[in-house]
Amino acid sequence: MASLRLWIVMDPDGRVGPGKVELLEAIAREGSISAAGRAMGMSYRRAWDLVDETTKIFGRPVVASQAGGKHGGGAKLTPFGEEIVARYRAVEKAAAKAVKAELAALQAGVRATDDAA
């Protein structure tokens, strides 16, 4: 079935899409940037760069991290980071609903072409 992948361009600083949002969700679930990166098959460096990029796009922290040490480190989403995830998922859901019929028509066209071959 055809599906929709959505990137939101945040003028002029960058874009937010499924990768950054999935990383934020993984941080919330895993409790650390490194564990979230591992869960997604990316390096800590790449995960940290994406968190930093997201923070720069919005001009405010999306993740609060605590350095490791005797009791270990960790990370969690800031309330603003949680809001970004929620709003992105709401936009994604609304967009998917709005284009459902068009995606089905595209998919039907793809199938018809495949069947004719």
Side-chain angles (χ1 to χ4, degrees):
M1 181 64 183
S3 63
L4 183 68
R5 300 276 293 177
L6 183 67
W7 286 266
I8 301 171
V9 177
M10 305 298 295
D11 286 335
D13 297 315
R15 65 185 185 164
V16 176
K20 288 180 180 125
V21 171
E22 288 168 12
L23 176 61
L24 293 177
E25 290 170 329
I27 291 168
R29 184 176 57 253
E30 301 291 335
S32 83
I33 296 171
S34 59
R38 280 192 304 274
M40 294 183 67
M42 70 175 71
S43 68
Y44 171 78
R45 173 67 183 206
R46 177 69 179 141
W48 178 252
D49 285 347
L50 288 172
V51 168
D52 188 50
E53 185 179 326
T54 305
T55 295
K56 287 178 181 172
I57 288 169
F58 289 101
R60 22 194 311 206
V62 295
V63 172
S65 59
Q66 178 179 328
K70 184 176 179 180
H71 301 290
K76 65 179 185 174
L77 298 187
T78 62
F80 182 67
E82 292 172 352
E83 185 177 351
I84 289 171
V85 170
R87 289 189 183 273
Y88 176 86
R89 292 300 184 201
V91 168
E92 185 180 54
K93 184 177 180 180
K97 182 178 178 182
V99 300
K100 184 177 180 180
E102 302 304 330
L103 289 178
L106 284 171
Q107 186 66 48
V110 170
R111 283 195 198 117
T113 302
D114 290 345
D115 292 342

